[in-house]
Each structure stands twice: as structure tokens, then as C-alpha cells.
Amino acid sequence: MLGSALHLDATRRVECAFVSHAHGDHIARHDRTIATAATLALMRHRLGVPRRTRSEHLPAAHRSPFGLGDLTLELFPAGHVLGSAQLRVARDGVVIGYTGDLCTQPTDAAEPAEVMPCEVLVLESTFGLPRYVFPPKAEVLAAIRRFVDDALSDGQTPVLLGYALGKAQEILKHLSDRGYRCRAHPVVHGVNRVYEEMGVRLPGVRPLGPEGPERDEVVVCPPHLAASTAMHGVRRRRTAVLSGWAIDGGRHFRGVDAAFPLSDHADFPSLVAYARATGAGRVYTLHGQAEALAATLRREGLRAQPLREELQLELL
Ligand SMILES: [Zn+2]
């Protein structure tokens, strides 16, 4: 049935791929795609539906093992964006886990991450340096609400900049559940519709139109579209960016009034704790600070080394 390798988050078309989540650096139009139903819906939204396709989608539910060739696969929630999944693969008695992008602090708009017990762990290491320690999410969200309240009481429109998939829905869900009236940039609105189809309610969120927001409304927009035509109606702005990189201070961002470390990735202590919690005897670190995280895990007594991308597929 399998006939070839199972690729993980391949960004070019392959025969058969597992897609952990629908961010642009993890997706492509594959012949066969294994992913959660939410990830498949978000991929269709982002990539469009090709007119002529022989592609096949294999929706998989979290925590429901299934066979593929001589592999047994099981998905675990990754807590990163809606539908995001870790993949556990068992073959010949060896159990390998691949986290994809992982966030262990629960969010309002994604399935909370679960620990994936495994023997060999491939662990993302975006924030794999000891200085990356995020405050508790509740504190970050409270600070964002204060920023919004202050801007509104000063007669300004709070503009929150966050990625169109995941970060935008997280803050929109948080604010709209608490009675804030929100406007979403059209690109965010398109993703919101998929979230709502998949059961994430976003009450009080409307698309941003050319007339701009009303006095008491909050605008959520992707960072690279802050100056786009759709934002021309947003005049008296007070702007904040929502990103884990805010932990480095403002040096990553220009032209914003504030930056809040709202992250959809695990911070350094969470990555180390997660590696331990899986029980893995060997850890390969991937992306971001792979070298540094592997070195720390070795000091903690784990066998760990960075994984070069081309080695990734040979594991399977
Ligand atoms: Zn991602």
C-alpha cells in the first residue's frame, strides 16, 4: 500500500505526506495527504482546490491508530493551531514520535497538546535557547486586554498584528468570548470561516470593510498586511504585535506601539520538560535552535542531537 517513503511536512509535492498543520512552511499539494480534518480544510482554503487533481486526502482523528503499509500511525494534538498534530509511527517494534510545531500552553482556539509517549523523539526547537521563557499565557492575554482597553478609552483603534492562521483566531476567540467587538482583516476572515466550520465559535467578529471599524472595535490583521488597502479605513491606530519573538524586546518589530509574547510554540523549559515527559531515550531536534536545544538535553542526561532535514525521512 505504501510503496514509498512517508514524508513529514514536505514543502514540495511528494507521493505521500503527513502534514502536521496548515502553516505555509509545512504544506504542499501532495498525491496523498495524511492530516486531521481541520488541517485538510485549512489546506484546501490556503492552497485552493485544483481543478484537475488525482490527490487523495486521508483525514485522521487524534488518538485513533491506523495502519499504512507496515507502519502503525497515531496522531496526538500538538496545541499549535487548530488541527495541528504530532505523529507517532511504530514499525518493527520501534516507536518514533514527530512533534511538528508544538505548543504546550493551552489556547482557546486549538486542541490542547497531549504528551506522545515514544522511544525516539523528533522535537521542534524554534525557541530552543534558555533565554526563551514565556510568561503564563493568562498573564500575556491580560496585558493585551489592558492595551486594548487603554487604546479604546483614548479614542484609538487597537490593531493587533498576528499570523492569519492560528494567532489571529486565538486572540479573536479570547476577546470575542469576553464581549469585545472585533473586526478581522479579510485574509484573517477567510481563515475564521474555516475555524467556524470546524466548530470554533467566534461571536462578535466581523470582516473589516472599507468603511473601517467603529469606535469600540478591535482590529486583528496579519503583520505583513498592516499597510494593505483593506486597512486604509483604520485611522487612529494603536498597534501591537503578538509574537513569541517579543520576548527578545522590540528589536524584531518596527512601527508598533507594543509587542506581547503570545506564542503558539513551546518555550525552552517546556521543550525540555516535554522531551522528558515522552520517555524518549533518543531525541533529535529540528528547526530553529536545534544545536542549542540538543546540547541542553545532553546536559540533562538525554541522548540528543540536531537533525539535518535530509535525515528526517530516513528515519521512516
Ligand atoms: Zn506552524
Side-chain angles (χ1 to χ4, degrees):
M1 180 183 176
L2 188 56
S4 66
L6 173 64
H7 295 249
L8 306 183
D9 285 334
T11 51
R12 61 190 162 75
R13 183 180 198 137
V14 296
E15 215 168 279
C16 183
F18 165 70
V19 176
S20 66
H21 66 287
H23 276 154
D25 54 343
H26 293 255
I27 60 175
R29 286 197 186 94
H30 306 298
D31 294 349
R32 307 173 82 203
T33 302
I34 299 164
T36 63
T39 294
L40 289 171
L42 289 161
M43 283 177 71
R44 275 193 293 274
H45 171 71
R46 306 207 106 186
L47 297 176
V49 181
R51 209 171 287 165
R52 282 167 37 141
T53 180
R54 57 191 181 90
S55 64
E56 182 186 4
H57 295 318
L58 305 172
H62 289 304
R63 307 307 306 273
S64 300
F66 59 99
L68 185 74
D70 59 352
L71 307 177
T72 302
L73 274 49
E74 183 172 358
L75 274 54
F76 289 70
H80 174 58
V81 299
L82 185 66
S84 62
Q86 310 172 74
L87 175 67
R88 187 166 74 173
V89 180
R91 186 178 66 179
D92 300 334
V94 179
V95 182
I96 299 169
Y98 166 69
T99 62
D101 288 354
L102 176 73
C103 183
T104 52
Q105 284 205 60
T107 80
D108 288 342
E111 310 88 337
E114 291 181 26
V115 174
M116 170 180 58
C118 56
E119 296 162 2
V120 178
L121 175 67
V122 180
L123 176 66
E124 72 118 325
S125 37
T126 304
F127 289 106
L129 287 179
R131 74 166 184 271
Y132 292 127
V133 182
F134 299 136
K137 191 156 269 191
E139 271 178 33
V140 179
L141 290 166
I144 296 170
R145 288 198 309 273
R146 278 195 298 278
F147 172 88
V148 166
D149 292 341
D150 288 348
L152 290 174
S153 65
D154 289 345
Q156 292 188 306
T157 295
V159 174
L160 303 177
L161 302 178
Y163 287 125
L165 166 57
K167 196 69 64 71
Q169 289 73 37
E170 179 177 8
I171 195 62
L172 284 168
K173 174 103 186 109
H174 181 80
L175 292 175
S176 67
D177 279 353
R178 283 153 188 80
Y180 289 87
R181 297 174 69 226
C182 303
R183 295 288 195 125
H185 185 282
V187 169
V188 171
H189 178 67
V191 181
N192 289 353
R193 289 175 58 177
V194 183
Y195 266 61
E196 296 217 281
E197 281 164 21
M198 301 308 299
V200 178
R201 297 259 305 116
L202 295 167
V205 181
R206 293 190 294 155
L208 181 64
E211 75 287 359
E214 292 171 23
R215 273 185 63 86
D216 60 342
E217 290 183 321
V218 186
V219 172
V220 173
C221 171
H224 68 290
L225 295 174
S228 60
T229 312
M231 292 291 286
H232 284 179
V234 188
R235 295 205 172 80
R236 302 192 63 212
R237 307 179 183 190
R238 191 177 297 179
T239 303
V241 66
L242 314 181
S243 166
W245 299 110
I247 208 75
D248 275 342
R251 65 188 172 92
H252 296 291
F253 316 108
R254 280 198 195 146
V256 298
D257 301 300
F260 297 101
L262 185 68
S263 178
D264 50 17
H265 289 267
D267 66 0
F268 177 81
S270 305
L271 289 169
V272 175
Y274 185 83
R276 283 211 170 285
T278 63
R282 180 172 282 280
V283 181
Y284 292 96
T285 53
L286 182 67
H287 299 314
Q289 304 294 339
E291 296 273 356
L293 181 60
T296 300
L297 292 173
R298 284 197 298 273
R299 281 196 294 278
E300 298 262 329
L302 291 167
R303 291 163 70 203
Q305 65 188 84
L307 183 65
R308 295 199 308 274
E309 311 250 347
E310 61 268 29
L311 288 177
Q312 189 173 348
L313 304 179
E314 292 170 21
L315 280 171
L316 301 172

